[in-house]
Every structure is written in C-alpha cells, then in structure tokens.
Amino acid sequence: MSDAVSALGGVSFDGIARIEECGLQGMITLRGDLSDQALAAAVTRATGQKKLPEANRARVAGESGVCWMSPDELLLLVPYEEVGGRLEALVAALKDSHALAVNVSDARAVFRVTGDAAREVLAKLAPVDLSRDAFQPGRFRRTRLAQVPAAFWMEEDESFRIVCFRSVADYVFKLLKVAAQPGSKVGVL
Amino acid sequence: MSTRLPSHGRLIDRSAQVTFTFNGATMRGYAGDTLASALLANDRMMVGRSFKYHRPRGVVASGAEEPNALVGLGQGNRFEPNQRATTTELFDGLTAVSQNHWPSLDFDIGAVNTALARFLPAGFYYKMFIHPQPFWKHVYEPFIRKSAGLGRAPDSEARDADTYEHFHVQTDILVIGGGVAGLLAARNAALSGARVLLIEQTAHWGGRAPVDGGTVDGAPVDKFVEQIVSELETMANVTMRLRCMGAGVYDHGYALGYERLTDHDPDAPGPRHRLWRIRARRIVTATGAIERPLSFAGNDVPGVMLAGAMRDYVVNWGVAPGRRVVVATNNDDAYRTAITLKQAGVDVVRVLDARAAGGGALMEEARSLGIRVDPGRAIAKVSGGKRVKKVAICNQDGIGGAREDLSCDAVAMSGGWSPVVHLWSHCGGKLAWDEDRAHFRPDPDRPPLGADGRGFVVTAGAASGALALDAVLDDAAAAGKAAAKAAGHSPRRGKTPRGETTPEAAMEPVWLMPARADTPLRMKSWLDFQNDVKVSDVQLAAREGYESVEHTKRYTTLGMATDQGKLSNINGLAILADALEAEIPKVGTTTFRPPYTPISMGAIAGEARGEVFQPIRRTPMHDWHERNGADWEPVGHWRRPFTYLRPGETVHDAVNREVKNTRENLGLLDASTLGKLVVKGPDAGRFLDMMYTNMMSTLKVGKCRYGLMCSENGFLIDDGVVARIDEDTWLCHTTTGGAEHIHAHMEEWLQTEWWDWKVHVANLTEQYAQVAVVGPNARKVLETLGGMDLSKEALAFMEWKDGRIGEFDARVYRISFSGELSYEIAVPASKGQAFWDALIEAGRAFGVMPYGTECLHILRAEKGFIMIGDETDGTVIPQDLGLSWAISKKKEDFLGKRAQQRSHMTDPNRWKLVGLETVDGSVLPDGAYAVGEGVNANGQRNTVGRVTSTYHSANLGRGIAMGLVLNGPDRMGEVLEFPGTDGTVFKAKIVDPVVYDKDGEKQNV
Amino acid sequence: MRHYSAFAVAREALRHHTGWERAWRSPEPKRRYDVIIVGAGGHGLATAYYLGKNYGIQNVAVIEKGWLGGGNTGRNTTIIRSNYLQDPSAAIYEKSRSLYEHLSQDLNYNLMFSPRGVMMLAQTQNEVRGYKRTAHANALQGVTTEWISPQRVKELVPIINLDGPRYPVLGALWQARAGTARHDALAWGYARACSAMGMDIIQQCEVTGVRSDNGHVKGVETTRGPIDCDKLGIVVAGHSGVLAEMAGFRLPIESVALQALVSEPIKPCMDVVVMANTVHGYMSQSDKGEMVIGGGADGYNNYTQRGSFHHVEETVRALVETFPMISRLKMLRQWGGIVDMTGDRSPILSKTPLGGCFINCGWGTGGFKAIPGSGWGMAQLMATGHSPLTEAFTLDRFAEGRFIDESVAAGVAH
Amino acid sequence: MLILRCPYCGNDVDETDLAPGGEAHIRRHGPGSTDAELTDYLFQRENPRGVHFERWRHAAGCGKWFHAARATDTLQVFGTYSAQTTEPPQEIRDAITKARPGWSWREFS
C-alpha cells in the first residue's frame, strides 16, 4: 500500500563509503527447532533458498533470504508486499511444531554501506573483526553499532547490509555519516 | 645561548621554513622541527614555570618524558593547555603560550614561593592552615588553588572544533614502539604469517638508534632502519602506523592506540584523534628506555638537559642548546653527547665522570678529540636563574666542597637509562631489579596474564633492559619469534642481524651528587622538576614515617606531575630506600596506570557527542509531534511529548486544555512506546502465571487483563494489559522503556530456570504504531473512518479484536487508562503516520486534540490508577497500593510471592496508597512528606507518609494527589500536615484515590 | 604528639626540617589487645580513634596487610555529601559531614575539607521528582539542601552546558555545605591521632584466621603471629568476604571494580562538585587543578583493581557532553578500586553471628564521605552494643526484607 | 575488558556486547522455603578471590544466557558452557584443576 513508509524515506550519504537506507523490507522472525525438517522445508519455501544458513551466516538473494540469528531463531527476508501471505503459509506449515513466526517488517530499518572503506566504517562502530580474513561475504553478525544493537551481513565484497530497530534508524544513520566522514579513511582493512 | 647549527638536523627540511608565535613573539623554524627544537633554535631557553615554587623551567628532554616544556597551544575552540613542546610537531601558524605565571613568564609574582621554599617543604599544607576553621575554604584554599594548576582552562563556552573517532581492530600481534627493536620484532613476528600491527608514537621510524649510531651487519644503523621499514611495508600481513601511541594495555589482550591525525596539520579534513581499540593475541612492548637525570643542586636551572636529549637536538634538528657545555655522567653513553657536540663545533668545557675510574673506549675517543675528562668529579652546584651561568665542581665522594667554577651556558647530565616498563606493568606485569644497570626491568617470569592464563606481553630491546645495539637486536629478534609462537604461529628460522657499537664500561649508580651532599645542597637537588620535589623532601617523608613508596609519593607529590614520574620515579625511590636503609627492590615501585602519556577526553568520548551522544528513540509519529509543538520529555531513550504547546500557551495552559478536551471531546495519544511482547507455546500460560501476580492462564481468548509483575525480591517492577490472542498465544503490554528489560527478564527465566518449558517470546514493540483514541467521541471518530464494528456489543470493555479501520489493518484493544471511552489501536509502524493523519483529519469534526504524557498522568490520577515510577520506586509491593485484587490467591507460586511473605513485607504498619485532598484546594508539592509526632533517635522528624503523585485537575478545578500513608486506608478523612521546603505547611485530607467517575460509567458506554 | 602549626613549620625550617618526628609509630604487635580492628583504611582508623576518644578504649590494635590508607581511602574521588533520601543514610552521612567540618582542628592535621557545595543535576522528569522528594526528606532530617533552577546551576558552574541536545538540565539538588577533602590526609590524620593515644597500627601484617571459642571471638592469626582480643572489628571493604569466611559467616556482598580518572591540572574553572546521574558521571576540580572524574562500576566480580575501559569511555562521553570545554583536556591517569556492594547498595554496620565480632562493610561506591560518621557509630556499637546511627544497617535486614534503597532518588550514589 | 566465547553462537565476544548476570548455579527458593534459604538465594554470594562461576548474557548478540568459569584475581577464563545446567560440567572442572589444582567453590572442586 502506498502509505507505508520506511523509517527515513530512503536517505543516503556519500563519504568514504556510501550509506543508504534501503526502504521497506519484509521480515519474519521465526523461533523454533532449527533441526526440525518441517521447519527447514517451510523456511526454504518461504524464502526461495535451497537450505538454511549455518550459524553466523546469511543466505540472501536480493529481497529474499534467511539470516541465522541464534540457535533457535532465524530472520526471514521476503519482499515487503508479500510478507502477509508468506507468513500465513509459514504459520500453516508449522502448526504442529512448537514455533513462533511473527511479522517484524515494520519494526526494523535496513541500511546498505558500500565502497572500499565499508569495512572500516563498520569497524569504527562495532567490536567485530572486520578484516578480510575474518569477515567474508555471507558472514552474518549480531552486535552493537556504538550504543544500539544491530545486525549486519556482507553481500558481495565491499557491501554490507545492516538491520537495526526502526526507532533508532535516525541515530544509526547519523552514526554511519560520522564514521564515513570525508578524510576519515583508516586504510588498513 | 642555544642556536641552530649550520650542520646536522636529519629530521628538518631547511628548505621549508615555518612561522609560529610564542607568547606573541613571531619565530621561525623548519618543517620537521618540534616546538621544543624550534624554541631552542630561537634561543628560547626558559619556557615555563614549575608547579609549586614557580621556578624557571627549560626544556630538559626531547620526547614524551618532558616534564617542563608544557605550553598552551592554539586558540578559541582549538585551545589546548599542557601540550608538551617536545612532542608537538611544528606547523605554520602554530601559536603557543607559556604557563603558570602572572603577569609574565619572565616576571612572575608567584616566584615569591621560591624565596619561601624553605618554609614550604613536602606536606607543609598538612601541618598549616588549620586554624581558624573557616579560613581553609575562604582564605587559604582559594590562594593555593590559584597558584596551583598549570595551563589556563579553555573558555567556559568553548566547543571543540574537531571531531574524534574510535576504531576496532584485531590482530595476532601488536608491536608497540617503532624503534629498531620494534621494527625487528615486528618483522620476525610477521615472517611467521601472523597478523602484525606496529604502532609508533612519533612521526619517524627508528627511535634513538640513528642518533646513537652503530652498525648493523656492517652498515650504518639508519640504513638498516630504512631497509627493514621498506621490507615491512611490502608485507601484506603487517600494518604500520606512525603518530599512534600505545596508551594502555588492559586485560584479555585489549590495548589502546592513540593516533594523532591532524595535530600537526590542523586544517586537514577528518577526525583529529582516533582511539584504536585493539585486541591482540600477544603484545610486544618495544618502548625503549628513558634517561635518568642526576640529582645535584641546581639541576633544575634552564639549560640543564638530559645528555641523550641534547644529542637528539643536535643530530635530529641541528640545534645546539648551548655554546659551552659541561657534561656530567655516571656512564659511558653521555660521552656520545660530548663527542657529538664537539663534532658539531660546540665547546665541551668538561666531562665530569662520577666514576673514580672514568669510562671506557668512548671516554678515550672523547679525550682524543681534545675534550677534558675529570673522573671522580661531580657537580656541586649549578648557578644561574633563568639559564645556566656556571657550574661549581667537586669530588663525587664528598659533601660538596667546591674545587673549581666552570662558566658555561648548558649542562648535559646522565644518570643512566631505565627501560620504559609502563605498558608491561599496566595489566599486572612484575619488575625485577637489575643491579648492574641500576634499573627496574620487566621480569619475564612474571608477565601480565591473559584470558588463557598465560603471559600475553613480551618486551623487546631497551624495554627489556638491553641497552647496547647488539643486545637490543638479539632481544628483539627473540621477542618477535616468541610472540608469534605464543600467538599460534611458527616463526621462521633465520639469522639475526648483528649489531655493533662501541663497547661501554660499566655504569655506577649515582643517586645523589655529590654522594654526601649536605642539607642545603639536597634542598636544591630536584627529583621532580614539575612538582618541585627535592631530595630533602623524600628524606623528610621517610623521617616522618611515610615509608611506603605510595605514602611518599602522595605526601611529596613525587611522580604525580603530568609526566607521571617518567624522570623522577627511580631517583626518588633510590633516595627513599637510602633514607630507610633498605634495598631498592624491597621498597618497590608505585603502580603504573594508563595512559602512558595523557590522551584527549575527546578521543575517549569518540563519535559520541552532540546529535549522536546517545540514541534518541523515535516513534513513527515523532516528526509530526515535533512539527506540532511537542514539548519533549525523555523517557528512557524515547522522547514523548509532555504536552503540545500552541503559540502563546504556557505548559500549564496546554496541559489543562488537553485534559479538558479529552474528557469532553476527543484526545489522541501516541502510545507506540508501550512494550508489546508476544508469548507463545504450550507452556505459555503456566509461564505467565509465574511472571505475573495475576492468573493469566485462565484469561479467555479475545479478552484483556491488567497484570502486575514483581521481582523475586517482591517489589513491583512493571504493569500492563495482557491480551489472550489464541489458545497458546498471549500479548503482554509493558510500560514505556519496560519492553527491553521485561523481554530480557522473561528470556532469563526461560533460559536459566525453566528451560524445559515450551515457550517462545518475541518483542514486537516497534512493529506497531499504537494510538489511544480517548474521549466521549472516540467511537464516533472511528465509525466515520469506517470498517470494523466497534459498538459496545461488538467490542466490550477489556476485549480486543483484529479488523480494518478505514484503509488500515488494525488490532483494537478496548482498554482505558483514563476512565474515558477508549480504544488503543495498533497498526503497522510503517503506516503509523498515515493512520494518525487519518484520525486527526476525521477527528476535526469531533474536536480532536493530541495529548501528552502530563495529561495522561492527570487523567489516570483522577481515576486513582497507579503509575510505575510514581507510586512505585523499587521499594513498593502491590499490597501497598491496594492491588491485592490483582494478586492471585489460587496460585502456589509466582515471582516475588515468597519474598512478600517476609516479616517487613507483611508488617501491618506499612505505608499504603490513599488519595490526598488539600484543605484549600491547592496543589501538594511533589515528594512532600507527612509528618508525625516528635523525632527519632537520630533527631530526625518522624514521618507517616509521602506524596507519590500530585497535579492540578482542570476537571475538578483543584489539586489532586495520591500518596502512601501509614495505615492510610483506615484513616479516611484524617488531615495530615505536609511541610514544604520553604517553611509553608500544606494540610491534606486522606480520601479515596478515585476522584473522578467512581462507577466507571464513562468508560463503559 | 608534636603539635602542627605554621609556627612549628617556621621553627623547623630554620633547621632544614630535620626535627620532625614520625607521624605514627610502627610497633611490634603485642600478645593481646582489648580491641582489634582489621583494616587500617579510613573506616578502620576512624573506628579506633572514636573508641579511644569517646569511650576511653585505647588498648587497641589496627592491623593492616598493606599500608595504612592504601585501599579505597586513597583511591576515591573525595566527595563528601549527606543529601540522601532514606533516614538511616541521611543520619550517618550527615553526622559524618558535620564531623568533617572540624576534623582538621580535632586531629590537628589539615584534611583540606572544602565545603564548596555539591549539586546533583536533574535531567529527566523522574529525577526532578526524585530530587524534590529528597529535598523534602532532607528538610525533615536536618540536612540543609535546596532545589535550584537551571539559571542558578549555570551561575554556580559556568562551564556547564545547560541544554545539550539530549538531556536539558531541569534543575538540581544543591547541598552548599557538602564538598571535598584530601583523602590520604584523612587516613594519615586519624593514624597519627590513634598512635598518639597509644594505639598500635601494625602495617604489613595480614590476618590469616579468626580464633573463637564457643561462639565468641578470641583473637586472630596473623602473618606476624597470633594476637588475642575481646572484640574484633572487621573493616576491610572489598576483602570483607574473605575475612567473614574466616570468622565463619557469609555476607550479601560482591566485590567489583570502580574506576576513576583525573585530567592534567589546569587553573581553577569549577568551584563545586557536579553529579549527573542520568548520564552516569560526576566531576570536581582538585586543589591541584586536576578535574577529578568518576562514574559507574563494573558488573562482575573482580579483585584486580583494574576495571573495563568502556566504563571510562561512558563516563568521559557523558562529561564532555555536560562540560564541552573539557573535550581538549587530557586524561592524565585512570585507576580502579575494589568496592564491596551489598544487596541493597547500602552499607552493613553490624554485630555478626560470631560473638564479639563486628563488621563494617558494603560502602560500595560511596564510603569516603562516611568515614568519620561510620567510625563514630561503629565505635559506639562496639563499645556499648548499640548505636542509633548503625541500627538500621544490620546484617539481618536482608532476611526481613527491610532494605535501605537509595537508588530510589539517584542512579549512582557517590 | 573481557572476551568470552558464547557457547551458543560460537563467537568470541567483546565485553561490551555482553551483560553480566551475577553468580551461577544458584537454586531458586520459592514458597515453602525458610527465610534463611530465601536470603541465601537472593543475597548471599560466594564472592571468592579466585575461581568463580558466573552468568552472562550475549545481550547484543544471539541473546543467549551462558555460564563462565573465571578467576576473579587474574581474570583467567577456564571456559564457558551452557546455561541449561545446575552445575559445572566435568570438562570445565578439569580445565580449572589443570590451572589451579586443589580449587574449590561451594560443593564443587
């Protein structure tokens, strides 16, 4: 529907890396037994992925995918407009398992950080080893950006997608702008 | 006088002249100068005043250990006090001012303290200024405060013009120090394939080696530096940073790097400082060594300088601190200075070698250059006020009877070298006393321990106590390999570069010069140049029983200056040991604490300033509130409108307007901040029965129930409406800001106590924008939007329903926190603004107004509803608040039930909730206490109750309040006295807390 | 005891200060004392001092495993205030504050007590309510405090930033007679006075065991041999748990690291103490000119006297926001101390399950200000078996659920 | 500045992503317990100078609670393990014994 708006309406900033708010992204939080075949089947069906990601990894293609959140939690990505239907199908498929699937599309904001200094921009804010040996495409990490919880994963090299709570989207965007300010390239990652 | 030499100056670019000012005077230097070298080149010998006696102070060192040459740097929003001239790179337009004097550097009233010095020994203030009692605060202290302190404070309204940032990095090995030892250790570590981060505090690689000379594998040492630097630069697993100081070493391999990005180029873009938060498997400290001064009378006169520093000024910056120099030493290294000076054309008047037998090969070399050397001789006294004029010499083994006067304008002194052990010690590394070199060095057998219980710091080169070039290289090579191995890599074999340098004769410790200097000389022999601590002061402390080195330090302030004792610690320690007739290692050292040298507060704060100082959580309608006059109130990290101000309105007017309008027409509240937790699973009901004092498992699907949560300690921690969504799903509302910690609270119990229960919890707080539509017109406005049936029959009080309202998918809760007809409606957050707009639009016909938190408080107070944080404060149990009805009697157990059975909790004399009505209709002051009879054993007035909420009710036209009162519910009608803080006394009658629509007719329509 | 005065200093100056005697003796332990105090920190020494001064009990030993005053007495940020909410707290802290006013004269040792005023900023509506409530309570407790406006705050603290983008200053609770003192001097002054009364201060002597006989204390084992006593006072802050175990009882205490830091010295720019509890930081300027800064404590057990650096970051960030001009000052030194936290964050001054054995601990992050009052009350408790100052601070309050919770009005208490 | 390995997501986590949760393996005492048991449960703590068992939550990460065996005098970490247990597993105890022979904590050693 036209009147649905993302937290910051798609703002962007160009510094030592490019920062952009990605707009609305369908998201489903799924808690349950990840070793349950029924669950795996339902998830792959809902997200178009062949299989579930291993721990600390994301399997994402465009607006669809799955991120490993914890041993009993996944974050499913689906196109925003389709989240209702996908969720219904998921809930139906899981009606016999002890699982919780809820729509969190509107509770989150999504950013993309790109450029050869993207690693460094994140390394200024998160206590995570973002060196090339340690953090490669597909790697997913839940941590903090400065003072708020956030999660990010690497798409192709030099591009990260960040998910945070909608209420702090403005804070996170301003943080990323400071971290990406011109002249602040570290030149080590 | 001190001047620029025609020769030497490996670090300066004579083709690039730089202009700067010192105390307003314009001076010139070269690119590559430090402020200190430039000042000396301009014959600026005296650069400041000491802390206590305001004595003239000149540059004594050439690096981070400098205690004297501190200046105020920059102007306005870039002014910074106490900047060390020796570590300040010169740049064009630099402005510096000297410190701690009035009216001027050369003429300073405070210098009168020098004359009084004898009356101001260590700790004098503990023995004086005792009477009369008020004088300390009003007379003595203001004077002392004025004369104390060093640099001028930045202006009150100064706002730092620069930005700062942090940077997280992990590495296998961190090497701190880019001298030959650090470079070689880094290379050997890197050859194993380990990730290596090498940081150096100055702007140059190589440290002292190029100044001290010597050869490596036959080539001059500076060539070796060039070659190994370029080798490291080609290694992909090596990161190198100049101007990045190892500031501190912390537990579990954490270290701080303090990078100064634009201090030498203030107009460059980007942050000024970057604080590196480093995690290293192993840390190599190649932090070098610091030369010790000699303790002789007048060793603080400007022009008296460390021998190594004087050598630096000649070799690195082409500056001669004097024309006629006397050298005093107890070791061979100082001869290098004598030789360097001589070769640079400076007249070396005499070398006074305290050792009876003099030195070795270097002494012979000096003599061969025609320098006169007097073995067994010492400095009795240096004369000169603002700069050295002459030196009286005597036998070292004596009391100081002068034999001869030497006229000179500078003195180079060397008491031997001490390894820089700070970073080794920060995290608990222990030291060993080296008898031969008379210094403390790291004890490899007692390193700081890491998370794995093994040592995680290795020292390299001079930092290990290896002072000669060959020993430095051997030690560093081994350190690099050891670190790599410990970090889980296999170091490569390969030969260690062979260092060669003139062999040195043994040094002899000289703690006092001359050895048996009499008291008047000892009272003029400085240990701590900045804080004015003298040999006699330490001896006094020992005499008075301040025997612990910590006592002595604190009593005399030895080592508490901005250099943190880099020059004074060992000398002071030796004097103390001598006074106690104890061995130096027995006396021990004071604790080394981070940072190695002071680091800016800005760098520590990092990016967190101004707009991003702390997160501000915003609801989907935040901007609308902002545009419509919201007077914000911080609630946790959220901001909620306290009220909406219209042009010309006071806050009080606005609140009253909102209150009346909501009762009479229609009010809208942004309730999005309320926590919304979904709890699902076969055991969810059982779980919620433990979480809440109420019975939640029996709640019917489609119904809502108000619930209370207590801590295991029995106290009320949160409340909110719980809705049963389906057979095994509940939705729990929490207070604003309660969402996160109640969510965590639930997860804690599920994960750590009842992990076999089948329950999942998810926090949906931000998925929904929630709006409370409140007032007599609430149903009307929703009906005009169209959609679901919200009639009394279709949705009764305390029921919820999913459906559509106008264009919107919504979940509607028929609940009321105001006593009015009220619907709380949740829509997806992304549509929150659109939904709010629709309500405002449709509401115009019904007199809609948004209302803020203060109106919300008043409406609920009129109904006697409690508010977490007002009626509760962490010491209140539900029973105190007349909420026993919400505590299930049927349940065997719930969190807090057992705790509420303790004697104090069941005490019939607890204060209980009542309404309070002032006799004259006025508003009771917030937090006022009701007084009882008499006073307690401590003479405090006895109290019988207190106000928990108090407001002006626009509806009732008078003040209303709630409070907790001793046996309150049994004392209806009784009048209590509440003294204000200004002497006035308020009288209020105990009444029922519900003062508006007792029978709830309005909310049930 | 040789009297200290300007005259004495002048007289000594003439002979180059060679005539000063020891501030305290350092004797060999006797076989037996009437009272043994374990711990020669401020609280222990003050307890001994008032035992002698108020009750004539002078056959006392104060046993210290390190050096006197070497623990938290010499590591804190020296703030002295009594604007507490709960009656028992206000009583003991106000007693303490009032003793501080004349302590320099009493001990003939200049503690540099400086009643420069302490203010606690209110930056949220909750804090406004909390501090107004405290002001009302204080008025009835005989503690002089007042609620002041933002404008008055700015007059008193010109360097403050009243309306930072995050938390505007809405007012403050102001105690004009509160202030600071020289922390080491407090321990040294008491030690000198105790020693002059004939008490033995035995440093470098560690207690290794507590000896008792059917439920009553008999003495202690130490690294310098056994010492007998009739009464034992355990006053060892962060190490209370260890001593309590020796005495055979447990404590509701956890030891955690609390950190503080100072800037380089600058000329006077801030005359009062400011505490900002919403953002967790407080700052004052020492007579030396250093900005003295403290904040929150670590959340895990720790005996290393080293804290986690992120607490320093949080504190400094809060203060740079509150006092922007400090941004270009530099941190000279940071350090940590081990503080003993109780279940309700209030201290324990109490009899114990072991007869004749008393304990004084749990001062957490705010013990320095309480030292004279704590010593006064503890001495009364040990000498007479009862003290109104200490009666609320018993060990058994935890079993009864009778807590003394100060967090009600203020986030962190210092 | 501690680093602990979260046994649930396997990451070595910086202290700033963790929330400390106090002493581990404390048995809950609800209705029916004595005042002494309740006080022990709520307030009495081991607070040892040495080997200690404690609770942490990977708060800014996978959200899971876990246990850590740590020394409070050196901050050495002997190991981290599941929160779903009432006592330290054998391999953790062995690791401690290796580093600190003769250790004991409550009834464990």
Side-chain angles (χ1 to χ4, degrees), chain B residues 100 130 141 250 277 543 639, chain C residues 17 165 267 287 313 334:
Chain B
N100 205 35
I130 295 175
E141 185 182 42
Y250 301 82
R277 294 160 157 172
R543 188 178 310 123
R639 277 190 178 179
Chain C
H17 302 281
K267 292 297 178 187
D287 287 342
E313 290 175 351
Q334 66 165 107

Side-chain angles (χ1 to χ4, degrees), chain B residues 669-731:
Chain B
L669 176 78
D670 181 353
S672 307
T673 57
L674 292 183
K676 307 160 200 77
L677 306 175
V678 62
V679 180
K680 177 176 187 284
D683 296 311
R686 173 189 184 197
F687 173 64
L688 291 178
D689 284 346
M690 288 301 297
M691 289 287 111
Y692 287 89
T693 63
N694 326 57
M695 187 76 87
M696 290 300 174
S697 52
T698 58
L699 183 60
K700 302 253 174 310
V701 173
K703 298 269 186 218
C704 302
R705 181 172 290 162
Y706 173 71
L708 300 175
M709 274 193 190
C710 293
S711 67
E712 263 295 61
N713 201 15
F715 298 116
L716 195 50
I717 55 171
D718 206 73
D719 69 347
V721 171
V722 177
R724 181 87 178 255
I725 304 302
D726 61 33
E727 226 5 78
D728 62 359
T729 312
W730 282 254
L731 187 128

